[in-house]
Amino acid sequence: MGPGRGAPLPLSLLVQAAGLAVALAEGALPAFLPCEFHAPGQVNCEWLFLTSVPVFPASEPLGNVTSLSLRCNRIRHLHHHDFTQLSSLRQLDLKWNCPPSSLSIMQWSCHMTIEHNTFLAMPTLEVLNLSYNNITTMPALPGTLTHLILSRTNILDIGPTTFEGLPALSHLYLDGNCYYKNPCGQAVQVAPGALLGLGNLTYLSLKYNNLTVVPRQLPPSLQSLLLSYNRIVSLGPDDLANLTALRVLDVGGNCRRCDHARNPCVECPRGFPNLHPDTFSHLSHLEGLVLSDSSLYNLSTSWFRGLGNLSVLDLSENFLYECITHTRAFQGLRKLRKLNLSFNYHKGVSYAHLRLSPSFGSLLSLRQLDMTGIFFRSLDRGTLRPLTHLPELQNLTLQMNFINKAELSLFQEFPSLRHVDLSNNRISGASGPPMASTGRADAEEDWQPPGRLAPGPQDAPSSEGFKLSCENFSFSLDLSRNNLMTVQSQMFTGLSRLQCLQLSHNSISQAVNGSQFEPLSSLQVLDLSYNKLDLYHGSSFTELPRLRALDLSYNSQPFSMQGVGHNLSFVAQLPALRILSLAHNGIHSRVSPELCSASLQVLDFSGNVLNRMWNEGNMYLQFFRGLRQLSKLDLSQNHLHAVLPHILANFPKSLQVLRLRDNYLAFFNWSSLTLLPKLEDLDLAGNQLKALTNGSLPAGTRLQRLDFSRNSISFIALGFFAPATRLQVLNLSVNALKTVEPSWFGSLVANLTVLDVSANPLHCACGASFVDFLLEVQAAVPGLASHVKCGSPGQLQGRSIFAQDLRLCLDEALSWGCFALSLLVVALGLAVPLLQHLCGWDLWYCFHLGLAWLPRRGRRRGANAPSYDAFVVFDKSQGAVADWVYNELRVRLEECRGRRALRLCLEERDWLPGKTLFENLWTSVYSSRKTLFVLARTDRVSGFLRASFLLAQQRLLEDRKDVVVLVILSPDARRSRYVRLRQRLCRRSVLHWPHQPRGQGSFWAQLGVALTRDNHHFYNRNFCRGPTSAE
């Protein structure tokens, strides 16, 4: 944390603050720190663990902010001045800051306090989300509000004045204020006419509130009313009397079926629900009606009288298993487009057959019919006969019905049908002729349903571009998750127009030979994943001339059988094949040595063991070479330790996307990418790369996307990415980078649209150069304000790179020096008294003997020894500088150092009269060990100083000795680029005169070291080794 409020900062920290400001001056900080700004006008402050509303600087474009999200923080108190800066705000999201204790993960008690005028400071506010906060009363709200969300709060009493002064309110959400997760021990009280003043209200949600009756005198403008999962067991015409504009009504879950409940449930009382025949008759505009989970056994024709515009009807989770075989309730619903009858099963009963009522035939506009979970074992033509002539029926869902016999040819009688879902059943093969049956409910009582019945989870979506979806085809059939062990051609008789077939998650273990799918002449997509297919015959799938996508992933059992061979030559005989997945089969040996295809464009070969295949000599080196049109290849999870150039040389030259994710690559030959001239996307995420070295990306590469995430990269060579001039997306997240250098990219950085460096342990030292660079490219860095964090020093670990702590802005070298000095003082404090006591006279004798020897050694000078220790160069026209040289510098170095005194060369004292200025200047520079420049400022220097500096630089070139030492008297000189560069390269040769007297002792000590030691020892080894002596 930074210094406490009100605590005075030491002068040294203020100097560091000025330095930090200078360091960030070249790039503008991201707007609205610590939040993220998303154009146009959206500020995202989610999941930042804020305890108060952030105060943004006046320099930010506050007038442009129209949306502010503060959800999922820890704000418990809203002050009246928190939003005064954001006068143009239209949307404010404060969801989940102070949730009720029962909704809190840790069950912590919390209460949100909102001061009276907090929201009135935003005169343009339209959307306010206060859900999942423990508030009990309504704060004052601006009259411009149109959407108000108060779900999962503790507002239990709604009276006539609760929403007073909100004439523009159109959407009101009051869900979940009293239910099993947010208990209140009562029902939410809505006074009659409490909402009548909201004349523009069109949407009202009162779900999960323990209501026992429909609130009276609701606004007649309502178009959507949601009352589900309350305890309203009776409905009459008076309950909805004035809601003639209603379009959507949800009253499901009020009288529940508890044997299928997924949460705490109260059984519906016997004899209920009680729906009056004329409950909905006056709702002529109603388009959507939800009566799900209402314990309905029958459907009354009178319920739907007058609902000529009804297009969506949800009757799921009821007891309509018999009703749907004889009901006439659907006869007047000619505009109904979606009907949900799922989970209307008889408890403990599985029917042998099901015959739908003829009234289904009157649903001429029906497009979607969901009959999941009704539990009948046989599907034949009689089951769906009333649906045969529906001209617009497109989607038919028959999941989880325990169907073991299905006559699939019946679907040829549905001309407009686009998708049939028979997944999660027990179909084991082709059905025989339909069995004669006069009864509709041949029941068995020996089956017990599970407590939780719902469709199983869908397959995890494949990577984009590596799988073809069935959504856009004219007719698809889903038979996944059944009991199929073999596939027979008679199963698909009459399905010649079928284009997509899903057979995944079965137990198909046969050897396909080119005859199983003969009737499917139009099939384009075939999914056989998660089976046990035996690919033995070279003619497999050749009966499908139009097949475009084939998924054979997760068929690993045959490939794991030792000694069994597998034939992949069928790929060459599929002329239309574009996409093939052989993923996660554990393929490692005894397969065709080469894949050949003139049409294949996408191959997913992930999850196999290519490492073993390529170690078998040259047998599989050309495995992919015959795929002449291949553009995308996925080799993830193949246990690869290296991809050598001779392997890449055998890849198709047409390859554009290559994925090598989650292997064991610790090395990659970047120059070998020239072997793939069209490569645009290279994915190396999840490997073991520790550095991006050994050259750089090859020149002329067409790479546009590079993914190095989830490696252990800690070093990147200079200019590594520079040759990739087309690179747009670069992912370096989740690595071990401590800095991000612009020298990695060169001029490429201007083309980057995404540069992801999140989850790296960046070293946030004061004045870190990567901060300036990231500010320059901040538009391309996702999550710069909140997801790019420090890894060191420890005090800043896990915090934003902009959360600098000035107390950590110290000279690390000086800190270590102080530590060493203090340790030495303690050691001497213990050793000196002990030695004086034991051998005091001996030490006294040795000390004086040394004193007698040092002066004689000091006077010995070799023939080549310089005459002076330092030549002092300064601007005599600046009186303050001259005064400091003669009265401070000269006195300290020549008179106050005793035997360690230094000899200085001064122009007015030591230059010989009669010589030219240049002769004296040349002699002074070359006869002195160091050249000391005393500067008041560095932006403008005199000609004398410039000439002296050029001579010192000439000595560097001739003698290979760096003799320059800078003393800077003014802090403004820090802005000089040369000074900043020299500080990087040779830090101890640049000294600043301290402003505090207590720092002057350290200054003179450092100056003495700088004048007596060779600058070669001061160079930063991370940047260069400094000049070496001439040989």
Side-chain angles (χ1 to χ4, degrees):
M1 298 295 293
R5 182 176 295 181
L9 287 172
L11 181 58
S12 60
L13 294 187
L14 296 178
V15 173
Q16 294 288 353
L20 181 61
V22 171
L24 299 178
E26 296 182 0
L29 285 171
F32 303 101
L33 283 174
C35 309
E36 295 183 5
F37 180 73
H38 303 287
Q42 300 178 2
V43 178
N44 185 356
C45 302
E46 299 177 6
W47 289 102
L48 296 179
F49 303 101
L50 301 173
T51 56
S52 61
V53 178
V55 179
F56 303 118
S59 58
E60 306 288 7
L62 300 176
N64 297 334
V65 178
T66 58
S67 176
L68 174 62
S69 179
L70 291 164
R71 66 165 56 192
C72 301
N73 284 288
R74 297 174 180 174
I75 302 173
R76 300 189 176 190
H77 194 119
L78 295 175
H79 302 86
H80 63 88
H81 55 76
D82 283 340
F83 303 103
T84 53
Q85 296 177 300
L86 307 173
S87 57
S88 301
L89 200 65
R90 294 186 177 182
Q91 299 181 18
L92 176 60
D93 190 347
L94 288 161
K95 180 180 179 180
W96 213 301
N97 274 275
C98 182
S101 59
S102 57
L103 294 174
S104 172
I105 297 176
M106 304 300 295
Q107 302 292 306
W108 287 333
S109 177
C110 180
H111 180 75
M112 176 175 278
T113 302
I114 304 176
E115 295 184 5
H116 182 68
N117 294 323
T118 299
F119 300 121
L120 296 181
M122 297 171 284
T124 60
L125 190 65
E126 297 177 357
V127 180
L128 176 61
N129 188 350
L130 290 172
S131 60
Y132 288 91
N133 287 297
N134 190 4
I135 55 178
T136 56
T137 59
M138 280 297 301
L141 300 173
T144 56
L145 211 60
T146 60
H147 291 67
L148 178 60
I149 308 172
L150 296 169
S151 303
R152 274 71 177 180
T153 62
N154 283 333
I155 297 177
L156 304 176
D157 193 0
I158 300 173
T161 60
T162 304
F163 299 106
E164 190 176 15
L166 299 176
L169 193 65
S170 61
H171 288 67
L172 177 59
Y173 300 81
L174 287 164
D175 309 326
N177 289 339
C178 186
Y179 73 118
Y180 68 93
K181 282 189 177 181
N182 188 20
C184 66
Q186 62 181 58
V188 173
Q189 302 297 320
V190 183
L195 305 176
L196 198 58
L198 303 176
N200 288 317
L201 191 66
T202 59
Y203 186 99
L204 175 61
S205 182
L206 291 168
K207 300 185 294 184
Y208 291 101
N209 280 310
N210 277 344
L211 297 175
T212 57
V213 295
V214 179
R216 300 296 179 181
Q217 300 181 33
L218 294 175
S221 58
L222 273 181
Q223 297 181 11
S224 298
L225 177 60
L226 281 63
L227 295 168
S228 58
Y229 293 97
N230 285 286
R231 297 186 179 181
I232 305 172
V233 296
S234 296
L235 277 176
D238 295 338
D239 294 319
L240 308 170
N242 62 329
L243 305 179
T244 54
L246 210 59
R247 295 179 179 272
V248 177
L249 175 62
D250 182 358
V251 291
N254 280 282
C255 200
R256 302 187 62 188
R257 173 178 183 165
C258 289
D259 66 312
H260 189 244
R262 63 178 179 180
N263 45 41
C265 180
V266 177
E267 286 283 355
C268 187
R270 185 177 296 275
F272 289 93
N274 183 12
L275 293 180
H276 190 277
D278 295 325
T279 300
F280 313 116
S281 59
H282 61 289
L283 305 178
S284 58
H285 298 288
L286 198 65
E287 298 176 0
L289 176 60
V290 180
L291 294 171
S292 63
D293 202 2
S294 297
S295 298
L296 297 175
Y297 285 84
N298 291 287
L299 298 176
S300 174
T301 307
S302 60
W303 292 347
F304 306 111
R305 187 171 52 244
L307 301 184
N309 291 315
L310 194 66
S311 61
V312 178
L313 177 59
D314 189 350
L315 296 170
S316 61
E317 299 183 84
N318 285 290
F319 295 95
L320 301 175
Y321 41 84
E322 290 190 1
C323 176
I324 59 176
T325 65
H326 60 75
T327 184
R328 297 182 179 179
F330 302 131
Q331 289 181 346
L333 304 179
R334 296 186 177 274
K335 291 188 178 181
L336 192 67
R337 302 175 67 182
K338 183 176 181 180
L339 176 60
N340 190 349
L341 295 170
S342 61
F343 296 104
N344 272 279
Y345 63 92
H346 190 299
K347 184 177 181 180
V349 175
S350 172
Y351 293 104
H353 302 279
L354 178 68
R355 298 290 184 266
L356 293 180
S357 167
S359 66
F360 281 87
S362 62
L363 301 176
L364 299 178
S365 300
L366 191 66
R367 292 188 176 183
Q368 299 182 38
L369 176 60
D370 191 344
M371 295 174 61
T372 299
I374 298 179
F375 303 162
F376 58 98
R377 301 190 305 277
S378 178
L379 176 64
D380 53 35
R381 297 180 186 275
T383 306
L384 306 177
R385 181 170 288 115
L387 307 178
T388 307
H389 303 291
L390 297 183
E392 297 188 19
L393 185 62
Q394 297 181 359
N395 291 277
L396 180 60
T397 304
L398 297 165
Q399 293 187 61
M400 294 187 66
N401 279 300
F402 300 98
I403 299 172
N404 53 31
K405 295 182 180 180
E407 188 179 351
L408 301 181
S409 61
L410 67 90
F411 297 117
Q412 66 181 329
E413 301 176 7
F414 294 80
S416 59
L417 200 59
R418 294 178 59 90
H419 178 69
V420 178
D421 191 346
L422 280 165
S423 61
N424 292 285
N425 282 288
R426 295 179 176 178
I427 301 172
S428 57
S431 64
M435 298 175 59
S437 174
T438 56
R440 64 170 182 269
D442 180 11
E444 292 183 357
E445 299 292 340
D446 58 350
W447 174 85
Q448 295 295 327
R452 167 79 170 95
L453 297 175
Q458 298 298 314
D459 297 340
S462 297
S463 301
E464 182 181 356
F466 281 82
K467 190 170 183 179
L468 196 61
S469 172
C470 291
E471 294 180 357
N472 298 324
F473 290 98
S474 61
F475 186 28
S476 61
L477 174 62
D478 190 350
L479 290 171
S480 60
R481 293 184 172 87
N482 278 277
N483 293 340
L484 291 171
M485 299 185 65
T486 61
V487 178
Q488 302 171 3
S489 60
Q490 56 265 34
M491 290 176 58
F492 308 110
T493 302
L495 296 181
S496 58
R497 73 181 187 94
L498 186 65
Q499 293 185 328
C500 182
L501 176 61
Q502 294 174 284
L503 293 170
S504 62
H505 292 89
N506 280 281
S507 300
I508 304 173
S509 57
Q510 72 187 110
V512 287
N513 58 13
S515 63
Q516 285 76 18
F517 304 99
E518 283 183 349
L520 305 180
S521 56
S522 300
L523 195 67
Q524 299 187 34
V525 178
L526 178 58
D527 185 356
L528 284 163
S529 58
Y530 293 94
N531 283 287
K532 304 173 184 178
L533 284 178
D534 185 358
L535 301 176
Y536 175 76
H537 298 283
S539 58
S540 302
F541 310 110
T542 54
E543 72 274 29
L544 301 173
R546 298 185 181 180
L547 191 63
R548 296 176 55 195
L550 176 61
D551 190 349
L552 297 174
S553 59
Y554 294 96
N555 280 269
S556 59
Q557 180 176 342
F559 293 98
S560 64
M561 299 170 63
Q562 296 184 3
V564 178
H566 309 280
N567 193 345
L568 301 179
S569 61
F570 67 88
V571 177
Q573 303 181 52
L574 301 177
L577 192 63
R578 299 290 186 271
I579 301 174
L580 173 63
S581 177
L582 294 169
H584 300 281
N585 283 315
I587 300 174
H588 57 84
S589 62
R590 289 188 172 89
V591 296
S592 303
E594 184 176 359
L595 286 174
C596 296
S597 175
S599 61
L600 193 66
Q601 298 177 358
V602 178
L603 174 61
D604 187 352
F605 203 74
S606 59
N608 290 295
V609 196
L610 261 177
N611 186 52
R612 288 182 57 183
M613 295 174 64
W614 285 340
N615 287 337
E616 298 292 337
N618 297 327
M619 184 173 182
Y620 293 107
L621 288 183
Q622 299 184 4
F623 189 68
F624 304 108
R625 189 168 188 173
L627 305 175
R628 298 192 298 271
Q629 300 297 324
L630 194 68
S631 61
K632 297 181 180 180
L633 176 61
D634 191 346
L635 299 180
S636 304
Q637 302 178 36
N638 267 279
H639 306 278
L640 298 175
H641 293 268
V643 182
L644 300 178
H646 70 279
I647 293 176
L648 289 178
N650 287 289
F651 279 17
K653 304 303 180 184
S654 57
L655 206 60
Q656 298 179 5
V657 177
L658 177 59
R659 295 188 176 177
L660 295 165
R661 300 171 67 93
D662 300 309
N663 284 290
Y664 302 103
L665 298 176
F667 169 82
F668 197 92
N669 190 330
W670 308 110
S671 60
S672 63
L673 291 177
T674 56
L675 301 172
L676 301 175
K678 295 184 179 181
L679 192 65
E680 298 178 355
D681 187 335
L682 178 60
D683 192 341
L684 289 166
N687 282 282
Q688 298 179 1
L689 297 172
K690 293 181 172 55
L692 300 182
T693 53
N694 68 251
S696 63
L697 296 176
T701 179
R702 299 177 62 177
L703 280 173
Q704 298 180 15
R705 182 182 179 275
L706 268 174
D707 192 343
F708 291 108
S709 61
R710 296 187 294 111
N711 279 276
S712 302
I713 300 171
S714 59
F715 177 77
I716 299 178
L718 299 180
F720 180 83
F721 302 107
T725 55
R726 300 187 182 185
L727 192 64
Q728 298 179 4
V729 179
L730 177 59
N731 190 345
L732 292 170
S733 62
V734 198
N735 278 287
L737 295 173
K738 295 185 178 294
T739 184
V740 182
E741 297 293 342
S743 58
W744 299 346
F745 308 95
S747 60
L748 158 72
V749 69
N751 300 330
L752 286 177
T753 58
V754 176
L755 174 59
D756 192 347
V757 293
S758 59
N760 277 286
L762 299 173
H763 182 61
C764 298
C766 287
S769 59
F770 72 84
V771 177
D772 293 337
F773 172 66
L774 292 179
L775 289 175
E776 293 177 8
V777 296
Q778 59 181 287
V781 183
L784 176 60
S786 56
H787 293 94
V788 181
K789 299 182 179 180
C790 301
S792 60
Q795 296 90 334
L796 293 177
Q797 187 174 9
R799 299 178 62 188
S800 169
I801 60 173
F802 303 109
Q804 292 280 9
D805 188 340
L806 295 181
R807 292 178 296 179
L808 301 176
C809 295
L810 303 175
D811 188 339
E812 293 185 7
L814 182 60
S815 300
W816 280 107
C818 294
F819 170 74
L821 181 61
S822 61
L823 183 63
L824 179 63
V825 169
V826 172
L828 291 177
L830 295 175
V832 169
L834 182 62
L835 293 175
Q836 194 273 338
H837 177 72
L838 295 177
C839 46
W841 188 89
D842 298 318
L843 292 175
W844 177 86
Y845 178 80
C846 292
F847 174 73
H848 284 279
L849 183 63
L851 286 181
W853 175 73
L854 283 176
R856 289 195 299 274
R857 181 176 180 272
R859 284 192 293 268
R860 292 197 199 103
R861 288 183 178 268
N864 296 326
S867 304
Y868 299 97
D869 293 295
F871 170 44
V872 183
V873 184
F874 60 97
D875 191 350
K876 295 186 297 183
S877 63
Q878 298 180 356
V881 176
D883 179 74
W884 185 85
V885 170
Y886 291 124
N887 298 320
E888 283 281 349
L889 179 69
R890 184 190 61 80
V891 173
R892 285 281 185 175
L893 297 184
E894 289 189 340
E895 298 179 3
C896 298
R897 289 173 61 92
R899 295 180 177 84
R900 297 180 294 109
L902 301 178
R903 187 175 181 187
L904 303 180
C905 178
L906 299 173
E907 175 186 354
E908 295 186 355
R909 185 187 69 182
D910 298 312
W911 281 17
L912 294 177
K915 285 189 176 184
T916 64
L917 182 146
F918 184 78
E919 289 177 338
N920 276 311
L921 184 60
W922 188 91
T923 302
S924 300
V925 170
Y926 276 81
S927 61
S928 302
R929 180 179 290 108
K930 296 289 180 72
T931 301
L932 176 63
F933 292 86
V934 182
L935 307 172
R937 57 195 304 171
T938 60
D939 51 347
R940 293 191 301 273
V941 296
S942 65
F944 176 72
L945 287 171
R946 192 181 303 276
S948 302
F949 180 78
L950 293 177
L951 279 176
Q953 293 298 99
Q954 180 179 346
R955 188 175 177 186
L956 172 62
L957 297 176
E958 293 178 356
D959 299 339
R960 303 181 74 174
K961 291 183 179 180
D962 184 3
V963 298
V964 174
V965 177
L966 302 179
V967 172
I968 302 170
L969 303 180
S970 173
D972 295 335
R974 293 186 183 181
R975 297 181 181 176
S976 169
R977 292 184 178 178
Y978 174 78
V979 173
R980 291 171 63 185
L981 177 61
R982 189 162 186 89
Q983 281 182 312
R984 289 277 188 183
L985 299 178
C986 190
R987 186 179 187 127
R988 294 189 181 181
S989 66
V990 180
L991 299 159
H992 295 271
W993 175 247
H995 290 271
Q996 295 182 348
R998 62 184 180 184
Q1000 295 178 6
S1002 174
F1003 169 82
W1004 294 116
Q1006 294 180 32
L1007 180 59
V1009 172
L1011 294 178
T1012 55
R1013 296 197 64 188
D1014 194 334
N1015 283 359
H1016 174 75
H1017 300 289
F1018 301 152
Y1019 272 84
N1020 190 331
R1021 304 303 178 188
N1022 293 326
F1023 292 91
C1024 64
R1025 293 180 295 177
T1028 57
S1029 300
E1031 297 180 356

